[in-house]
Amino acid sequence: MVPCMTRSRRSASRLLLLFALILTWPTVALAQDVTGDWHGVMDVGAAGLVFTLHVSAAEDGYTATMDVPDQGAMGVPVDFSLSDGVVTWGLAAAGVSYEGAVDPGFTKITGTFSQAGQSFDLVFGREELAAPRGSSEWNRERLSKTEAYITMRDGVRLFTSFYVPRDTTQTYPILLMRTPYNSEPGGEERFNFFVGIFADLVEAGYILAFQDVRGKYMSEGEFVDVRPQNPNRQSREDIDESTDTYDTVEWLVANVPHNNGRVGIFGVSYPGFYATVSLPGAHPALKAVSPQAPVTNWFIGDDFHHNGAFFLMDAFSFYSSFGRPRPEPTRQGNAQFQWPNRDSYDFFLRLGPIKNVEAKFFGDSIKFWSEMMDHPDYDEWWQARDPLPHLTDVTPAVMTVGGLFDAEDSYGPYAVYGAIEAQNPDADNRLLMGPWYHGQWAWDDGASLGNVHWGANTAERYKQMEMEFFNYYLKDEGEITLAEATIFDSGANGWREFEAWPPPGLEPFALYLQPGGGLAFAPPPPGDSFDEFVADPDNPVPYTEDGHLRRTREYLTDDQRFAARRPDVMVYESEPLE
């Protein structure tokens, strides 16, 4: 009996061992097969971003590196792990993380890439992928790149790059973007980010040109924020952004090969400002201009002041890096501000009075911040930086673009369009306003904002209009069917076209606060009624319910009822509107 019992125990032991192997097989197999190269393409809206993940076995697990050629990132070490069929990797310094599931055949990883509060689907496979549309490799098959310095009338040289179609059997118009944001950070051999998101324009046949504005990155000279116009020029030393644009266009049409002698200018945000100021005294070759979310007046309504109210969080976040001086030309960007914590509400509450920004962090090194502090009112210094009075005698066609939910530059589009319309009755002038956050139309599908969904790819309307606009004025292709004003009706989730903006016949209405928290179009009864509340500077009202570091773009559509529960917030509500 004993041998029989021993055999039974041995059989049981073998069964238990086999069962244990079956339970642990996925982990063992994954450990053998997850190594090697994995290839993926992430759809970021306007283009596909190629990723290659290289995984190797190590004594204590794995080592891995990541290539993202379009970002100039090759062989970047990442923290890699595998557990129960789930792959994770990340780069803490860049705030990057990825998590995905490996399929049983170890041929696919399906997961999500996250950075800066945004998430994108990213699937890896074993096979190398064809170059996706808009990728660096895709663009290199179609374009050749040149970098050059263009001498301005006062002798200062501005760094410029241009990308010319390889098909030399025809000529092409030039589309120029002037920017303070480092046009070519990756060096002469790399294609810049914007070429990737302009795939439609590459396919349509355009020469793309980019320029660091005076005093920024690789360009010579002194940078001046929202440089005032200089209409009373007496010599070649008297310059402004309009003269720099004129001199640039003059050089481009004379020196860039295979151009057709016509130039367009466009840009979003600060580059939108440089598009606007190309209009005064425009070069004859400049035929079409599209200022998009253009920085226009930093006191009245854009970025750092909204109707004169100072946006501390936006201004501090921007100038803590952008505003630092650049002693000599460089492709290297300024270091980002090292926040002591990741909670902006707590940071600014602890900061104390605004004078402490310079006392604790900036000193006197950030010129424009100091100038803003010296000019708290809309005085001559601010007025000199307003380009609107100079938008006269406009000769190029203009299509101004903006977002209805742009938390940064929603004033500029209406103001630029309106100034051109008022000061140039015969100008070829159009306005496009969509349901977009800042710049969303250029690099996203515009289907939603936060939890609000528009039911369609609204950015497609912008792309169609932009193509029609530039093709007509720069290539003599097609017809102009664009309305004077194309505006998205967010209440009806649809586009409307108008032959004037504002439309004729609009009647403004005033809303009046009523006793008892009411709101109506009629004045309240006469009397001495009033409402009051106590505001505590040590317990300010947050603008959004969530804790975070950077100002969110979705706060314009956030549910604000959390604030209504505070005793220092007054709420007024009307009867249902008819």
Side-chain angles (χ1 to χ4, degrees), residues 35 75 89 100 195 235 250 307 319-320 343 360 397 436 441 448 502 516 522:
T35 59
W89 56 264
V195 176
S235 72
E250 178 91 355
N307 292 317
Y319 273 100
S320 58
D343 185 337
K360 294 182 177 181
W436 303 311
W441 54 92
S448 63

Side-chain angles (χ1 to χ4, degrees), residues 163-226:
Y163 297 76
V164 180
R166 292 189 182 276
D167 178 3
T168 59
T169 61
Q170 57 182 304
T171 60
Y172 307 92
I174 300 170
L175 277 177
L176 171 65
M177 176 187 293
R178 304 185 66 238
T179 178
Y181 294 138
N182 200 355
S183 64
E184 296 287 350
E188 190 169 1
E189 298 303 316
R190 275 191 57 203
F191 280 27
N192 71 31
F193 164 79
F194 289 104
V195 176
I197 67 172
F198 295 153
D200 289 346
L201 297 171
V202 172
E203 287 183 324
Y206 283 87
I207 296 168
L208 302 177
F210 304 88
Q211 184 177 78
D212 290 341
V213 297
R214 181 181 291 251
K216 274 294 183 181
Y217 292 96
M218 290 291 285
S219 285
E220 299 175 349
E222 178 188 4
F223 176 71
V224 175
D225 268 297
V226 286

Side-chain angles (χ1 to χ4, degrees), residues 223-291:
F223 176 71
V224 175
D225 268 297
V226 286
R227 188 188 300 271
Q229 288 295 108
N230 185 3
N232 301 313
R233 295 185 287 270
Q234 303 296 321
S235 72
R236 298 182 68 83
E237 300 300 315
D238 297 327
I239 59 88
D240 54 25
E241 301 300 344
S242 296
T243 64
D244 281 355
T245 307
Y246 188 104
D247 295 348
T248 298
V249 171
E250 178 91 355
W251 189 94
L252 290 174
V253 296
N255 292 278
V256 173
H258 309 295
N259 83 80
N260 71 356
R262 298 187 188 184
V263 178
I265 293 180
F266 67 150
V268 177
S269 195
Y270 218 149
F273 166 80
Y274 294 106
T276 299
V277 295
S278 72
L279 293 168
H283 192 284
L286 182 57
K287 303 298 184 181
V289 176
S290 182

Side-chain angles (χ1 to χ4, degrees), residues 117 155 185 214 272 285 290 307 371 453 481 569 577:
R214 181 181 291 251
S290 182
N307 292 317
E371 291 174 333
H453 295 263
T481 64
V569 173
L577 299 178

